[in-house]
Amino acid sequence: MSILNYCAKLNEQNEMFPSVFDYAQEHKVPIIDADSLNVLKHQLRLMNRKRILEIGTAIGYSGLHMLSVADDIHLTTIEKDKTLHDIAVENFKTHGALSRVNAICMDAKEIDPDALGHFDMLFIDASKANNQFFFEKFEPLLDESGIIIVDNILARGLVIEDEITNKNLNKMVKKVDAFNQFVATSEFHASFLPVGDGLLIISR
Ligand SMILES: C[S@@+](CC[C@H](N)C(=O)[O-])C[C@H]1O[C@@H](n2cnc3c(N)ncnc32)[C@H](O)[C@@H]1O
């Protein structure tokens, strides 16, 4: 067992939304890893975040978990796939959270950010190659003390591979790395964490 697997095991908790988790596993819907989810929820709790913008709803799994941290958290979440969006809305409804959710079915690249409001946390978990685009587009919606969390910044370990023969995969990984390097050399404060598929926490 690697040291990361050791921590991942310790981070595992009783699943709060087993039917949503099982659906994701069964239908191969990508959802956040358990240890990244722990860090994400811990940040929400510690920093008392109340207005979250999520890019990449999928079936609402991470959204439900974030909303579970406190009853006064509100979530705006964007998903471009109509089928997944509809399942997410159903999941929010089933778990009594829909009144605290603004679930938008749209390509986040197309959306007018000014129509969304203001937030104290931005969670980017959509197409990895667009991390930079989403960061630049939605970061201005955050309050001065807002934080940004980005999932999958290690692209399942491919960010340190020199030779990736698949051209599209190579292009995606280069974009993930370019965004990571951009943040690392920017004036933002950043923590690159090797949990799950890599979690990046950014503040101003
Ligand atoms: C990794 S999944 C999100 C998982 C979810 N946050 C969770 O942990 O439960 C990424 C989702 O982003 C969606 N997505 C990708 N590109 C998008 C875009 N440009 N606009 C909106 N959604 C997008 C995909 O359809 C997919 O459902």
Side-chain angles (χ1 to χ4, degrees):
M1 181 190 283
S2 74
I3 199 74
L4 291 182
N5 285 340
Y6 173 81
C7 286
K9 279 252 165 275
L10 290 174
N11 267 318
E12 274 175 18
Q13 297 182 351
N14 283 341
E15 178 55 60
M16 293 177 75
F17 304 103
S19 61
V20 184
F21 180 83
D22 290 347
Y23 183 96
Q25 300 302 307
E26 208 175 304
H27 296 85
K28 300 198 181 340
V29 179
I31 54 170
I32 188 167
D33 289 348
D35 40 3
S36 301
L37 185 61
N38 263 5
V39 176
L40 179 65
K41 290 171 77 176
H42 212 154
Q43 288 293 323
L44 278 177
R45 205 170 284 124
L46 287 174
M47 303 197 68
N48 205 23
R49 302 288 112 167
K50 299 297 177 195
R51 287 164 291 124
I52 306 164
L53 173 62
E54 176 184 55
I55 315 301
T57 319
I59 58 170
Y61 176 75
S62 53
L64 280 169
H65 270 280
M66 292 191 282
L67 289 161
S68 75
V69 169
D71 288 342
D72 54 353
I73 291 178
H74 288 260
L75 172 72
T76 294
T77 181
I78 306 171
E79 172 57 56
K80 67 175 181 181
D81 183 301
K82 173 89 171 84
T83 307
L84 294 175
H85 162 85
D86 287 347
I87 297 169
V89 169
E90 220 30 60
N91 284 333
F92 291 131
K93 200 186 289 176
T94 306
H95 293 90
L98 192 57
S99 62
R100 293 192 282 137
V101 180
N102 176 17
I104 300 169
C105 185
M106 205 171 163
D107 188 324
K109 285 188 274 179
E110 311 292 323
I111 210 157
D112 173 8
D114 294 334
L116 295 174
H118 285 273
F119 302 91
D120 53 22
M121 183 171 146
L122 167 63
F123 176 44
I124 301 176
D125 190 19
S127 43
K128 293 186 264 296
N130 288 312
N131 282 347
Q132 177 111 26
F133 183 89
F134 293 138
F135 176 83
E136 284 171 2
K137 179 164 183 169
F138 298 111
E139 182 271 337
L141 300 183
L142 290 175
D143 300 342
E144 197 42 51
S145 65
I147 58 167
I148 302 123
I149 299 192
V150 188
D151 195 17
N152 306 113
I153 57 141
L154 299 180
R156 299 286 162 207
L158 292 173
V159 278
I160 56 164
E161 292 295 326
D162 292 330
E163 295 281 322
I164 300 173
T165 42
N166 180 309
K167 269 191 180 165
N168 286 337
L169 192 60
N170 189 41
K171 208 167 147 194
M172 182 276 283
V173 173
K174 290 276 174 296
K175 283 187 166 182
V176 172
D177 181 47
F179 172 65
N180 292 342
Q181 304 300 337
F182 157 78
V183 173
T185 53
S186 74
E187 288 187 352
F188 289 92
H189 302 285
S191 296
F192 296 83
L193 306 177
V195 293
D197 187 27
L199 205 63
L200 168 57
I201 303 179
I202 309 167
S203 65
R204 290 198 185 103

